[in-house]
Amino acid sequence: PPSTACYWRVRGHNTEWSYGPYSPVWRFTTGNFPPPVPIPTFPADGDTGISRTPAFTWIGSPGASQYRIQIARDSLFAQLLADDSTLTGTTFTPASLPARTRCFWRVRAKGVAGSSPFSSVRRFTTGTFVAVEENPDEELPTGLVLHQNYPNPFNPSTAISFQLTAVSKVSLEVFDILGRKVATLVNDVCQPGVHTVRWDGSGSPSGVYFYQLTAAGQRSIKRMTLVK
């Protein structure tokens, strides 16, 4: 533990005489250092076509109790789009980011001894829709369809496609086996056609998950498996 007085001693042993006496006791005090810098994982540096509500993920820092993430329009983080210092996990989903925009993000850890420096800055560019990439060349569907994700099982990300026949308010959410919502992939008005969204499960444990599509007064649910 940090800032703690500790004591140690040592004694020898041989095959003939067993253990000898302990050495004099030595005392030392541990330091009190901030946690190491977390490592950003998604979106990766240079990623393009990222959804407008991506699930930001990073590798956690030993000894961290909270994390702070910043997302901005500029690399100096003067034009912030999100700034949250209350996170206790290693994932964050922001409100809708602007479409077709170059963004920058970084994260740092906080422990009992203070905060780490910010991580290296990652740059990415958003796509057009919230968590949706359009496929304009696809034929219009004949009804609301939620496709099975691919690949399945997957590690760590998978693609989920759905089809719309009309402009609709769409909600696409991911739930764990206990029914707890772990991600919102789409929460926006989408155009008719075929849409594809990716879910990155880097910050989630292995197991069975369910994804639920709600649109035009209809609902469809399918099952998928994350294997790490």
Side-chain angles (χ1 to χ4, degrees):
S3 300
T4 301
C6 301
Y7 302 83
W8 74 285
R9 62 184 182 177
V10 64
R11 65 179 178 177
H13 175 272
N14 61 42
T15 58
E16 296 182 7
W17 301 103
S18 188
Y19 286 101
Y22 275 108
S23 68
V25 175
W26 289 67
R27 177 181 181 275
F28 66 94
T29 302
T30 58
N32 195 7
F33 302 103
V37 178
I39 302 174
T41 54
F42 181 82
D45 192 40
D47 276 354
T48 59
I50 296 299
S51 76
R52 293 169 58 195
T53 53
F56 290 80
T57 58
W58 56 91
I59 298 174
S61 305
S65 57
Q66 286 184 319
Y67 295 92
R68 180 179 183 181
I69 186 173
Q70 290 185 328
I71 308 167
R73 290 177 178 267
D74 64 302
S75 60
L76 298 178
F77 293 85
Q79 304 177 57
L80 288 172
L81 297 169
D83 186 359
D84 194 327
S85 59
T86 65
L87 305 173
T88 56
T90 56
T91 185
F92 171 74
T93 301
S96 181
L97 299 174
R100 294 177 179 174
T101 300
R102 177 179 292 180
C103 300
F104 302 82
W105 77 284
R106 60 186 183 180
V107 62
R108 70 179 182 185
K110 180 180 180 181
V112 294
S115 298
S116 72
F118 273 107
S119 67
S120 56
V121 176
R122 298 290 195 266
R123 180 193 63 190
F124 66 96
T125 304
T126 58
T128 304
F129 291 101
V130 176
V132 171
E133 297 175 2
E134 281 195 298
N135 298 320
D137 296 330
E138 297 283 349
E139 294 182 2
L140 289 181
T142 58
L144 177 66
V145 178
L146 177 62
H147 296 285
Q148 185 65 50
N149 64 299
Y150 180 83
N152 187 44
F154 63 96
N155 179 28
S157 66
T158 187
I160 300 172
S161 296
F162 62 92
Q163 297 173 294
L164 301 174
T165 57
V167 176
S168 304
K169 178 68 168 65
V170 174
S171 172
L172 181 59
E173 299 172 318
V174 178
F175 299 86
D176 65 15
I177 194 68
L178 298 178
R180 298 174 298 197
K181 184 168 66 176
V182 298
T184 299
L185 305 181
V186 181
N187 184 24
D188 200 12
V189 175
C190 297
Q191 299 297 315
V194 181
H195 304 269
T196 301
V197 55
R198 296 197 69 86
W199 181 50
D200 188 295
S202 299
S204 299
S206 298
V208 174
Y209 292 84
F210 299 90
Y211 54 101
Q212 174 181 281
L213 174 69
T214 304
Q218 302 178 56
R219 179 176 300 170
S220 183
I221 300 175
K222 288 189 179 295
R223 171 175 169 165
M224 58 184 173
T225 305
L226 171 61
V227 178
K228 294 186 176 180

